[in-house]
Amino acid sequence: GFLASGADMATQSLEGTDPINFAHVAAMATVASTMSGVANAIWLRQLEDAFPGKEVKEVAAKTLIHAIIIASIINSAYLAFVPFFTTYLFQEGALASGVAGAAAASTAVFSAWSMDEFITLTKLEILMFIPYNTVAFKFVPPTVRPLTHAAVSATFNVAVSAVTLGYFDTWCERAMTFFA
């Protein structure tokens, strides 16, 4: 959660957001600590138990399972629950909205998730985590892996923040004009 909070504040600062949207920071921290933190550490341990070893076959199996299944779950959680928590949990007065707010919130979870954003995060996931996991599953001890994974995830969380805040397309357009 701490690294995701820092990544989110950095993203908002890079875009010139003033004041910082601390409801979004709290939402990023919540999803990151539960999904990228605790759940991912458990899943990494289960992958290691299911496919012990550092040979090509085991490393490839762990890397592909992580990229195809686990990353899809985590990225979907970010896309659905960061907007949901930002709006219905961490905004001022959000918890006081009662039953009407709960009904709106239940549909908001699914309306916040979009295929375009999911594809964007999946592409970034492939570019960042397949190379990282290939190296990590071969050389990084399982007990240390969640920590090194968290460090890589902090960088990824800058992009997650940009996507969930709506900055990512603008950043891509700016990059294209910069390199053109």
Side-chain angles (χ1 to χ4, degrees):
F2 178 76
L3 294 174
S5 299
D8 192 59
M9 287 189 285
T11 301
Q12 292 186 48
S13 296
L14 287 169
E15 192 57 29
T17 303
D18 188 30
I20 296 291
N21 181 346
F22 285 105
H24 195 271
V25 172
M28 282 290 294
T30 301
V31 175
S33 62
T34 56
M35 296 304 293
S36 290
V38 175
N40 194 46
I42 291 167
W43 290 327
L44 287 171
R45 171 53 53 200
Q46 289 176 340
L47 277 176
E48 195 61 42
D49 291 344
F51 303 95
K54 297 179 182 183
E55 299 304 317
V56 172
K57 179 178 158 187
E58 290 82 12
V59 170
K62 291 183 273 195
T63 299
L64 290 174
I65 290 169
H66 191 276
I68 294 168
I69 299 170
I70 298 169
S72 296
I73 293 168
I74 292 171
N75 289 340
S76 291
Y78 276 113
L79 292 174
F81 289 106
V82 168
F84 173 78
F85 289 157
T86 300
T87 303
Y88 296 101
L89 185 60
F90 295 118
Q91 290 287 6
E92 185 175 329
L95 293 176
S97 63
V99 174
S106 65
T107 59
V109 169
F110 300 105
S111 65
W113 188 96
S114 84
M115 183 58 79
D116 289 342
E117 291 177 340
F118 179 76
I119 289 170
T120 297
L121 290 183
T122 299
K123 288 177 184 176
L124 289 169
E125 181 85 32
I126 288 167
L127 290 172
M128 289 181 71
F129 284 99
I130 286 182
Y132 162 77
N133 281 332
T134 301
V135 171
F137 287 131
K138 179 76 175 170
F139 299 109
V140 179
T143 55
V144 179
R145 208 171 292 139
L147 298 173
T148 60
H149 197 277
V152 175
S153 292
T155 305
F156 183 72
N157 279 333
V158 171
V160 173
S161 292
V163 168
T164 59
L165 288 165
Y167 303 155
F168 193 78
D169 290 338
T170 303
W171 285 11
C172 290
E173 290 168 12
R174 287 182 196 157
M176 293 306 288
T177 59
F178 178 77
F179 292 112

